[in-house]
């Protein structure tokens, strides 16, 4: 079945769950856990438990919007904000920030995948020689699958998620008896401030769940299926996070975990025979590939909507009729990720990524709270299986939590700005997240202003 944008509805409920779970259980839990430990110690486990209800609350506005007529379009929060606020300015800046976030995440995931694949090769590959070629090859391979058609993307995603699920069972179930309580002490290694500072980077484990909304133009009966997938998928994934981190920190001393390039695999090696531990590493590879696969989809679908609304060149809205995929937009996404990889600037884009997504989640929740007043017709289309007051309460919790996480990051960056000069930060390639995000946002404002003649008024 084809749509007005030229996309094809070839994804079902299983593929939708695979997209959500695949993008969540990836680098966030397999890579960021060790960095969070350096800030707060084993209380990373509590950090996951604290963030879980917040992320679930943040997903409620997404589920509500995709239950409406907007749930048939691949615009995600860009479309939600534009149709709620009745203008493109805020929505465009949000989309602009999201594009760099996802392109940066692609480059980061490709490097993380290369590290785990080197570990999996048992000495056949060397990190210093093969890391970059493997990272580049993974990006090109995933791009080729997407260009071939969304049906192949979905099938690959489901297959990899199946392997991932089995590897998680192998990691968690035997790992629970191997937990040593002594490894949890001291629980708050960095005190209250360290725990607070660990939450923004730890949030990277959850960042990206909203990518599911970008599949709305390609999922069958999307307005009925996607809301349930959002809520159930995130609830299940957060439980997996808590169990994985509890096993990892309980089985392996935090110092070793923090120093490891493949923390989950090293933890598993302590209580599993070689073959089973190798399978956990394979699961990590699958997790990173599923994240890479889902992340590749997002910028090109945003490009479709931006081009349709006259905010981007018409070429970004082109869909290859033979496969029903935005091949040009996918190619630009690949080029951007490769450029970041080869320039060595992945960390800069990644720093923008988490902060930009926090801002986007904050704006999205605030827009949903204002939806009844700003667009009552769209508000009446919302179809979720629980009361409106509960939906508003969830959006309120999300707005407060996202605002708090943004404040923590801003406070940390302001401290860095007061301690160092601009010249020192440039020389050390240590520009703050706040500076990078503001610079990219201002560039987006310029692009938006220059494209004023092409814009069309948003339909209400």
């Amino acid at each position: 079945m084809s749509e007005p944008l030229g996309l094809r509805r070839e994804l079902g409920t299983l593929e939708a769950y695979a997209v959500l779970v695949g993008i969540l259980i990836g680098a966030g839990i397999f890579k960021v856990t060790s960095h969070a430990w350096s800030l707060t110690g084993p209380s990373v486990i509590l950090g996951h438990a604290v963030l879980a209800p917040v992320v679930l609350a943040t997903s409620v506005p997404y589920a509500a919007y995709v239950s409406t007529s907007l749930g048939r379009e691949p615009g995600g929060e860009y479309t939600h904000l534009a149709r709620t606020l009745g203008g493109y300015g805020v929505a465009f800046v949000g989309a602009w920030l999201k594009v760099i976030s996802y392109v940066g995440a692609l480059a980061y995931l490709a490097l993380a995948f290369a590290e785990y694949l080197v570990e999996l090769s048992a000495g056949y590959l060397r990190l210093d020689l093969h890391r970059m070629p493997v990272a580049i090859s993974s990006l090109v391979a995933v791009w080729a699958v997407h260009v071939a058609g969304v049906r192949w993307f979905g099938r690959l995603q489901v297959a990899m998620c199946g392997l991932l699920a089995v590897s998680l069972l192998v990691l968690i179930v035997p790992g629970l008896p191997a937990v040593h309580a002594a490894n949890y002490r001291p629980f708050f290694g960095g005190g209250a401030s360290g725990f607070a500072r660990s939450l923004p980077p730890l949030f990277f484990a959850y960042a990206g769940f909203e990518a599911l909304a970008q599949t709305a133009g390609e999922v069958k009966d999307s307005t009925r299926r996607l809301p349930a997938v959002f809520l159930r998928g995130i609830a299940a994934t957060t439980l997996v996070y808590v169990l994985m981190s509890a096993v990892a920190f309980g089985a392996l001393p935090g110092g070793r975990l923090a120093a490891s390039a493949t923390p989950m695999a090293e933890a598993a090696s302590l209580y599993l025979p070689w073959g089973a531990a190798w399978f956990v590493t394979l699961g990590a590879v699958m997790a990173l590939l599923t994240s890479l696969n889902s992340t590749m989809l997002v910028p090109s679908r945003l490009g479709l909507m931006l081009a349709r609304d006259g905010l981007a060149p018409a070429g970004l809205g082109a869909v290859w009729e033979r496969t029903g995929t935005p091949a040009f937009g996918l190619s630009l996404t690949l080029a951007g990720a490769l450029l970041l990889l080869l320039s060595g600037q992945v960390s800069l884009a990644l720093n923008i990524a988490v902060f930009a997504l926090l801002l986007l989640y904050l704006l999205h929740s605030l827009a949903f709270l204002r939806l009844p007043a700003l667009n009552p017709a769209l508000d009446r289309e919302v179809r979720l299986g629980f009361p409106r007051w509960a939906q508003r309460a969830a959006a309120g919790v999300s707005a407060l939590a996202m605002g708090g996480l943004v404040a923590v990051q801003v406070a940390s960056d302001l401290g860095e700005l007061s301690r160092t000069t601009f010249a020192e930060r440039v020389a050390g390639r240590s520009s703050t997240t706040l500076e990078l995000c503001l610079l990219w946002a201002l560039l987006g404002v310029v692009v938006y202003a220059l494209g004023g003649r092409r814009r069309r008024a948003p339909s209400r």
Side-chain angles (χ1 to χ4, degrees):
M1 177 182 178
S2 62
E3 291 292 303
L5 286 171
L7 301 174
R8 298 177 183 174
R9 292 193 181 275
E10 297 182 328
L11 302 179
T13 302
L14 185 60
E15 289 85 358
Y17 273 113
V19 169
L20 180 64
V21 173
I23 203 167
L24 284 174
I25 304 181
I29 190 66
F30 281 96
K31 293 293 291 181
V32 177
T33 297
S34 55
H35 171 60
W37 180 90
S38 66
L39 295 172
T40 191
S43 53
V44 167
I45 303 167
L46 180 61
H48 278 301
V50 167
L51 288 174
V54 171
V55 176
L56 196 58
T58 304
S59 73
V60 169
Y62 284 92
Y65 275 113
V66 297
S67 73
T68 71
S69 57
L70 299 185
R72 294 191 286 270
E73 300 180 340
E77 56 281 291
Y78 160 73
T79 306
H80 306 164
L81 289 170
R83 273 49 178 183
T84 298
L85 303 178
Y88 290 128
V90 173
F92 176 82
V93 173
W96 182 256
L97 289 171
K98 185 165 183 173
V99 166
I100 190 61
S101 298
Y102 272 74
V103 172
L106 271 174
Y108 175 79
L109 289 166
L111 287 175
F113 166 76
E115 291 176 356
Y116 265 95
L117 193 63
V118 168
E119 177 75 13
L120 189 68
S121 73
Y124 288 101
L125 297 176
R126 286 176 49 186
L127 194 63
D128 56 336
L129 291 179
H130 299 107
R131 185 176 185 237
M132 189 60 70
V134 170
I136 292 172
S137 299
S138 68
L139 284 172
V140 174
V142 169
W143 165 83
V145 170
H146 277 260
V147 171
V150 73
R151 174 180 53 180
W152 299 108
F153 154 76
R155 288 177 177 178
L156 178 64
Q157 191 75 358
V158 169
M160 293 190 299
C161 277
L163 281 173
L164 171 60
V166 175
S167 72
L168 290 178
L169 289 174
V170 172
L171 171 69
I172 294 171
V173 175
L176 291 174
V179 165
H180 299 285
N183 289 334
Y184 294 143
R185 295 191 290 267
F187 193 62
F188 290 95
S193 63
F195 181 73
R197 286 186 292 113
S198 75
L199 293 179
L202 198 60
F203 190 80
F204 180 71
Y206 298 93
F209 72 87
E210 83 294 340
L212 180 63
Q214 302 296 339
T215 67
E218 291 151 293
V219 172
K220 303 168 187 174
D221 197 11
S222 56
T223 58
R224 180 180 64 85
R225 297 179 190 228
L226 290 183
V229 174
F230 260 118
L231 301 177
R232 295 171 187 169
I234 290 174
T237 301
T238 54
L239 176 61
V240 172
Y241 277 169
V242 172
L243 290 174
M244 285 181 69
S245 55
V247 166
F249 287 110
L252 188 69
R256 284 181 59 186
L257 202 69
S260 175
T262 55
M264 292 299 166
E266 184 157 345
S269 68
L270 292 182
Y271 57 85
L272 293 174
W274 180 85
W278 181 90
F279 191 75
V280 170
T281 306
L282 176 63
V285 170
M286 290 300 102
L288 291 162
L289 270 180
T290 55
S291 291
L292 199 63
N293 200 29
S294 296
T295 303
M296 178 67 74
L297 179 139
V298 174
S300 61
R301 271 58 178 185
L302 270 175
L304 286 176
M305 300 302 292
L306 291 172
R308 187 195 70 172
D309 292 341
L311 301 174
L316 275 178
V319 173
W320 191 13
E321 187 176 353
R322 179 178 175 183
T323 63
T325 57
F328 180 62
L330 286 166
S331 299
L332 286 180
T333 301
L334 173 66
L338 290 175
L339 183 63
L340 283 175
L341 269 181
L342 297 173
S343 66
Q345 300 300 311
V346 175
S347 60
L348 297 182
L350 195 64
N351 286 341
I352 297 175
V354 178
F355 188 62
L357 287 177
L358 287 173
L359 288 173
L360 202 54
Y361 297 153
L362 173 61
L363 289 172
H364 193 260
S365 294
L366 291 174
F368 182 68
L369 289 172
R370 295 289 296 151
L371 180 62
L374 297 178
N375 194 337
L378 182 61
D379 183 62
R380 287 192 293 270
E381 293 183 29
V382 173
R383 296 289 183 271
L384 288 184
F386 52 96
R388 291 297 180 93
W389 66 264
Q391 297 173 30
R392 308 299 176 206
V397 168
S398 171
L400 290 172
M402 295 303 112
L405 289 172
V406 168
V408 168
Q409 184 63 59
V410 169
S412 176
D413 282 357
L414 290 177
E416 181 67 19
L417 290 172
S418 67
R419 291 189 297 270
T420 60
T421 66
F422 179 74
E424 289 173 338
R425 292 192 298 277
V426 171
R429 291 188 177 182
S430 58
S431 298
T432 64
T433 300
L434 191 59
E435 289 173 300
L436 294 170
C437 204
L438 284 175
L439 179 62
W440 184 255
L442 288 173
L443 182 58
V445 169
V446 172
V447 172
Y448 179 79
L450 293 175
R453 294 180 181 179
R454 298 191 306 270
R455 288 195 291 272
R456 298 185 301 138
S459 57
R460 302 286 293 217

